[in-house]
Amino acid sequence: MKKIAWVVDSSAYVNTLLKNHPDVYVIPLNIHFGQQQFIDGVDLTSEQLYEKLRVETESIKTSQPSAGEFAELYKKLSLDYESIIAIHVSNSLSGTISASMNGAQIAQVHMECVDSLSLSAGITGLVEKGLILEKQGLVFDEIVATLRLEATKFRNYILIGNLTRLYKSGRLSSVQFYLGNLLKIKPIIQINNKGQLQELDKVRSQKKAIQYLINKVVESAEQDGVNLVYIMHANALEQAESLKEAIQLQAPNVELSIGEISTSLAVHAGEDTIAVLWYLP
């Protein structure tokens, strides 16, 4: 039997490495448009989602997989693996970890959940780190403990592209929404080291907001020695590529990886959202 199966939810940025790795498995979240339910990344593409977000008037929300769905996956994995490490979206933002742990109890498997204290590329970075540790020969408990410490080193700056989605998802008050639109404010938000979403700053123009992101990356590259940064976007590839070029000019030694956020995250963040995310060395 193989030693470890790696499980992530679909809020993760499933890059080429994760997508093609034989030991990495993705369990999808659900997206609800009124009475309609879609499976994240399975029967709703990002293009279809953004089309719906532009015209949809019904309530839109997301939900985690059920404990039964996790149990079904874990029972299958237990036939081929000794243990399972599940890395999920922050427990402060979703009930996915609880469902995952309940599913493991139902399936009676050897599994540990790691709270990423993040989402998207934050999960990606932990899985990539875990695969390296496994290859180096660390045992299961050592890998889990190391990843839980690594999760506290996550840094991120998120420029919200559409205040309407953040407002409708309940993460922005009506006053904040009104003033933000009136004054053309660009809010910068962050997932803190407790895995909670918090407003970090307000910038008065898109140009200044992008420069804010550039400055944060360059500052961390110079002061902390950061050498890998993820640039994540919501249907804003051109803007992400422009941001990458600008960062490269000031921090040429930093590797920059561009990716698109999952449809389940775009429901809350909205189209044109762009973010920079990394782990401290």
Side-chain angles (χ1 to χ4, degrees):
M1 295 181 73
K2 295 183 179 181
K3 288 186 177 180
I4 301 174
W6 297 84
V7 175
V8 301
D9 59 80
S10 62
S11 71
Y13 165 44
V14 183
N15 61 8
T16 303
L17 173 63
L18 270 59
K19 186 176 182 179
N20 296 331
H21 199 289
D23 301 325
V24 175
Y25 299 84
V26 182
I27 186 163
L29 279 68
N30 303 303
I31 300 173
H32 306 266
F33 284 84
Q35 298 301 312
Q36 288 184 297
Q37 177 175 309
F38 298 89
I39 301 174
D40 184 15
V42 176
D43 53 14
L44 184 70
T45 65
S46 58
E47 292 82 4
Q48 291 170 330
L49 172 77
Y50 293 121
E51 287 178 8
K52 282 182 171 291
L53 289 179
R54 293 178 199 126
V55 300
E56 194 67 48
T57 57
E58 292 186 271
S59 62
I60 308 171
K61 59 182 182 179
T62 58
S63 64
Q64 68 268 11
S66 67
E69 291 173 299
F70 275 109
E72 183 179 355
L73 172 62
Y74 291 154
K75 285 177 182 177
K76 290 179 181 178
L77 294 181
S78 68
L79 300 176
D80 299 311
Y81 295 91
E82 295 176 6
S83 305
I84 301 167
I85 295 178
I87 304 179
H88 293 306
V89 57
S90 169
N91 196 42
S92 296
L93 302 176
S94 169
T96 303
I97 286 180
S98 177
S100 181
M101 293 176 66
N102 289 337
Q105 289 181 339
I106 294 170
Q108 296 185 322
V109 295
H110 183 220
M111 188 276 284
E112 284 286 344
C113 258
V114 174
D115 185 345
S116 70
L117 303 177
S118 62
L119 38 70
S120 190
I123 299 173
T124 311
L126 290 180
V127 177
E128 291 176 336
K129 176 76 172 182
L131 291 171
I132 292 172
L133 296 174
E134 182 182 10
K135 194 172 182 178
Q136 290 174 345
L138 271 70
V139 300
F140 182 84
D141 289 342
E142 290 175 324
I143 294 173
V144 171
T146 301
L147 293 182
R148 285 177 175 156
L149 177 61
E150 187 75 8
T152 64
K153 301 178 182 179
F154 183 62
R155 300 294 182 267
N156 61 99
Y157 298 89
I158 306 165
L159 171 58
I160 293 298
N162 190 319
L163 293 181
T164 301
R165 291 305 329 143
L166 203 64
Y167 169 59
K168 288 187 175 181
S169 69
R171 289 177 168 84
L172 193 70
S173 72
S174 57
V175 173
Q176 289 172 317
F177 174 64
Y178 174 75
L179 290 176
N181 280 321
L182 180 66
L183 302 175
K184 304 297 181 184
I185 288 174
K186 302 293 181 180
I188 306 290
I189 64 174
Q190 185 179 62
I191 302 169
N192 62 25
N193 57 13
K194 295 181 180 179
Q196 301 165 332
L197 203 63
Q198 65 180 28
E199 185 178 25
L200 187 64
D201 220 329
K202 296 184 180 74
V203 187
R204 286 294 293 270
S205 73
Q206 181 72 11
K207 183 178 180 179
K208 289 181 179 179
I210 292 296
Q211 188 60 52
Y212 184 103
L213 300 184
I214 295 169
N215 292 345
K216 290 298 182 181
V217 174
V218 173
E219 179 182 297
S220 193
E222 293 175 349
Q223 296 182 5
D224 307 315
V226 168
N227 55 22
L228 172 62
V229 173
Y230 298 93
I231 299 175
M232 302 302 300
H233 68 92
N235 201 30
L237 179 58
E238 186 176 331
Q239 189 174 189
E241 290 176 338
S242 177
L243 176 59
K244 178 180 179 178
E245 291 176 6
I247 293 172
Q248 284 179 325
L249 288 175
Q250 298 186 55
N253 294 326
V254 175
E255 179 184 348
L256 298 161
S257 175
I258 294 178
E260 188 169 8
I261 66 173
S262 70
T263 51
S264 59
L265 296 183
V267 165
H268 301 287
E271 194 169 9
D272 293 328
T273 290
I274 193 162
V276 287
L277 314 93
W278 64 89
Y279 281 93
L280 296 178

